[in-house]
Amino acid sequence: MPPPRLISSTAAELLTFFGKCPQCRYSATATETVLRYDNDTVDTRIYLSCGQPCGWTTQVAPDHTGSYGFTAAGQPAP
């Protein structure tokens, strides 16, 4: 059986994330990417990245707290 084919994707900034970059302490942004496949599966991915060009970025698991696994200081949540 062939792997599922991507049929659509959307990306949007998450305005409820107020974390900081753990490398340079500048404000970080969060983006949600939703991928839909032809076998009716949906994959949601959250990416955090620095608002400055220091290069920090990470993928985190979606949650409903708005912290996405990070504290307001940009550190991984306990």
Side-chain angles (χ1 to χ4, degrees), residues 4-43:
R5 291 182 308 141
L6 180 66
I7 57 172
S8 71
S9 66
T10 58
E13 184 174 359
L14 297 172
L15 302 177
T16 58
F17 179 75
F18 300 101
K20 294 192 178 292
C21 173
Q23 290 184 359
C24 72
R25 311 302 301 150
Y26 193 80
S27 296
T29 59
T31 305
E32 176 184 61
T33 302
V34 179
L35 307 168
R36 291 178 176 80
Y37 296 92
D38 63 355
N39 65 352
D40 294 327
T41 59
V42 177
D43 184 16

